[in-house]
Amino acid sequence: MSTVSFFYLGCKVNHYECSALASLFKANGYEVVDGDISDVCVINTCAVTKTSEQKSRQLIRKIRNKNPNSIVVVHGCFSQHAHQFIKDNLPVDIILGTKHRDKILEYVEQFKIDKKQIVDIDLKTRLFDTYEELGTTSCSDIVRAYLKIQDGCDHFCSYCLIPFTRGKSRSRSFSSCLNEARFLVEQGYKEIVVTGIDVGSYKDGDYTFSSLIEALLNIPNLSRLRISSIEASQIDDKFLFLLKTRDNLAKHIHLSLQSGCNDTLKRMNRLYTSEEYLRVVNKIYDAYPSVAITTDVIVGFNGESEQEFNESYNFIKKCKFASIHVFPYSIREGTNASRDINIIAPKIKKERVKKLLELSKELNRNYQSRFKGEVFDVLFESYDEKDKKYIGHTSNYLEVKVESKNNIIGEILKVRY
């Protein structure tokens, strides 16, 4: 039996796509193996930052070095964006982008016969008009599965490559989303994470994002449904009602921000003001006061003055996030922002990143301290060999570690925090 292994960098979408392709290979007689050595190696690449592109290149070389006689396949955002570089400089047999991955088995079999490099990149990403089904996922984390409902993005933030590598927003069919979710629950998964490039833009006929979430929450025996990330403008009253009334909707919202300064937001082409964002944050807290709201912030975007940074810093404090993910701005060739000459010095970026990371730690401590002594349902996911403790998370994504004589991975247990 031929073996296949999967590797990915970047977001939860890439994780999902690896799982879906693993299911496809498995259904066609391959053994899916962990580790670096296999007959076929499939690498899902990332291009969201320069660092992620560098890591993609390094991963490709590492996998090839360990598998000199294997068939190496790359796909994803980096290969869509830099397919010519990969073709000319990296030891890859099959190069796909963010489309035509449903043909991956066909291409692997073709390569086995003629041993000629295959490149199938559709450069007209804005013409991608249908969601690419990759098959039902059966390989994922032990207790948590990912459900991709959407691909692509129409926002065109000035710093972001993703609309150019993933194409326009397109949604998976409502029935396909439900069928896969039911299958995952039947397989024993306790938590499903809804993911996509811009999940809140989901629309299939009359079904919106919130109506899909409601339908997923109604699936029998689904213990917890978590949303990967959503834009503030996509939070509607129906979603707030579900957050307030449905116990199996995770009380954790990752709400993209990027900056708390209106002038910076305008240059980023983020289509909201900080005032509009804060109104949504307050609506979420009104619906469920103990919810964990987390966010992303870009530091050192082109033209970000000290005053703008301080404005953003103070706004972040006002939102009382549970934590923030901090990223120094990375120029992406081909985006509108890449033509801006008002570049912030690396030293200043580093100082601002440090300051925001310190704030994130403070916010996280403040958030956690609110729940001392409370009892939570905790889904246990892993075991820490060093600490000899099982690790799990609450609905609002507080990490919990406990000792147990029994293996409790996959179980939901009540724990006093």
Side-chain angles (χ1 to χ4, degrees):
M1 178 183 290
S2 296
T3 58
V4 59
S5 55
F6 293 85
F7 310 87
Y8 81 97
L9 295 160
C11 62
K12 293 180 176 66
V13 172
N14 284 4
H15 187 157
Y16 171 87
E17 290 168 350
C18 281
S19 298
L21 290 175
S23 300
L24 188 63
F25 274 87
K26 193 173 182 180
N28 284 270
Y30 280 78
E31 179 187 0
V32 179
V33 298
D34 293 327
D36 295 337
I37 309 300
S38 60
D39 299 317
V40 180
C41 302
V42 182
I43 305 168
N44 197 350
T45 60
C46 180
V48 70
T49 65
K50 281 187 176 180
T51 299
S52 59
E53 286 199 350
Q54 180 184 19
K55 289 181 177 179
S56 294
R57 294 192 299 270
Q58 291 170 344
L59 180 59
I60 291 167
R61 292 188 176 103
K62 174 187 172 184
I63 296 304
R64 169 55 79 199
N65 288 339
K66 292 194 174 184
N67 295 268
N69 300 314
S70 299
I71 300 174
V72 175
V73 185
V74 298
H75 65 106
C77 289
F78 175 56
S79 57
Q80 178 75 41
H81 176 59
H83 62 279
Q84 192 63 45
F85 173 86
I86 295 173
K87 183 177 184 296
D88 295 340
N89 297 281
L90 296 176
V92 172
D93 302 310
I94 301 172
I95 305 171
L96 306 175
T98 56
K99 195 177 180 183
H100 303 315
R101 287 170 293 188
D102 53 345
K103 298 179 181 179
I104 190 168
L105 279 165
E106 174 188 334
Y107 288 143
V108 167
E109 295 305 312
Q110 180 182 331
F111 185 85
K112 287 179 181 178
I113 295 170
D114 57 29
K115 306 296 183 184
K116 293 180 180 178
Q117 187 183 60
I118 298 170
V119 181
D120 189 355
I121 301 289
D122 190 338
L123 297 179
K124 299 176 182 177
T125 55
R126 297 314 296 175
L127 299 181
F128 293 3
D129 56 1
T130 57
Y131 179 88
E132 183 179 57
E133 285 284 356
L134 296 176
T136 300
T137 303
S138 61
C139 303
S140 194
D141 292 346
I142 296 173
V143 298
R144 178 183 291 119
Y146 295 95
L147 176 69
K148 183 181 172 187
I149 65 168
Q150 176 274 343
D151 206 340
C153 182
D154 296 331
H155 293 305
F156 285 96
C157 299
S158 65
Y159 54 81
C160 187
L161 266 179
I162 299 307
F164 303 100
T165 61
R166 287 276 178 174
K168 63 184 179 182
S169 180
R170 52 211 186 274
S171 299
R172 190 176 186 181
S173 76
F174 183 82
S175 60
S176 181
C177 292
L178 287 184
N179 288 339
E180 182 169 341
R182 292 190 190 103
F183 173 80
L184 291 168
V185 173
E186 290 169 2
Q187 297 302 302
Y189 289 104
K190 299 291 181 67
E191 179 174 305
I192 293 177
V193 181
V194 175
T195 191
I197 300 301
D198 181 28
V199 296
S201 68
Y202 179 88
K203 187 167 179 58
D204 180 30
D206 293 332
Y207 294 112
T208 63
F209 174 73
S210 293
S211 53
L212 173 62
I213 295 304
E214 182 178 38
L216 292 170
L217 291 169
N218 289 332
I219 295 174
N221 301 316
L222 174 57
S223 300
R224 190 179 290 169
L225 186 74
R226 194 176 294 280
I227 313 302
S228 59
S229 179
I230 191 168
E231 297 286 331
S233 62
Q234 297 164 342
I235 299 285
D236 59 16
D237 289 342
K238 184 171 187 175
F239 181 84
L240 292 170
F241 179 77
L242 294 172
L243 181 70
K244 183 176 182 178
T245 60
R246 301 302 295 270
D247 290 340
N248 59 342
L249 178 56
K251 309 311 177 190
H252 170 216
I253 307 297
H254 190 80
L255 199 67
S256 299
L257 174 62
Q258 311 309 350
S259 175
C261 171
N262 286 339
D263 288 339
T264 311
L265 288 170
K266 188 173 182 179
R267 292 197 303 278
M268 288 178 167
N269 197 35
R270 300 289 289 176
L271 304 179
Y272 52 82
T273 63
S274 60
E275 292 82 7
E276 290 166 343
Y277 184 96
L278 185 60
R279 280 196 289 272
V280 175
V281 166
N282 288 332
K283 283 184 178 181
I284 295 171
Y285 285 138
D286 288 343
Y288 203 89
S290 60
V291 68
I293 304 180
T294 58
T295 196
D296 299 317
V297 177
I298 295 174
V299 174
F301 185 66
N302 294 339
E304 184 187 62
S305 66
E306 190 70 20
Q307 180 180 337
E308 288 184 356
F309 171 76
N310 289 333
E311 188 177 326
S312 185
Y313 181 92
N314 291 328
F315 179 81
I316 290 164
K317 290 181 71 173
K318 191 184 298 185
C319 290
K320 298 179 181 178
F321 294 115
S323 68
I324 54 179
H325 298 163
V326 184
F327 302 92
Y329 171 61
S330 173
I331 296 175
R332 313 305 296 125
E333 295 298 331
T335 63
N336 286 337
S338 67
R339 296 189 287 272
D340 192 331
I341 62 172
N342 297 309
I343 298 170
I344 305 302
K347 182 181 178 181
I348 295 175
K349 286 185 191 178
K350 189 174 181 179
E351 291 170 352
R352 292 176 183 175
V353 166
K354 182 180 178 182
K355 191 173 181 180
L356 273 184
L357 288 175
E358 289 172 352
L359 175 60
S360 182
K361 289 178 182 178
E362 177 187 337
L363 292 171
N364 190 243
R365 284 194 300 268
N366 292 342
Y367 183 74
Q368 290 183 45
S369 67
R370 294 168 52 187
F371 304 102
K372 295 296 183 183
E374 289 195 24
V375 176
F376 289 96
D377 289 330
V378 178
L379 174 59
F380 287 93
E381 305 140 13
S382 61
Y383 181 71
D384 188 326
E385 289 286 353
K386 183 179 180 181
D387 290 345
K388 305 299 180 185
K389 291 182 179 180
Y390 288 90
I391 302 173
H393 286 88
T394 65
S395 175
N396 57 338
Y397 217 63
L398 296 170
E399 184 179 270
V400 175
K401 291 185 177 183
V402 302
E403 295 178 350
S404 176
K405 294 179 180 179
N406 303 316
N407 184 347
I408 56 174
I409 292 176
E411 295 187 34
I412 295 179
L413 301 173
K414 291 191 179 298
V415 179
R416 188 176 300 279
Y417 187 67

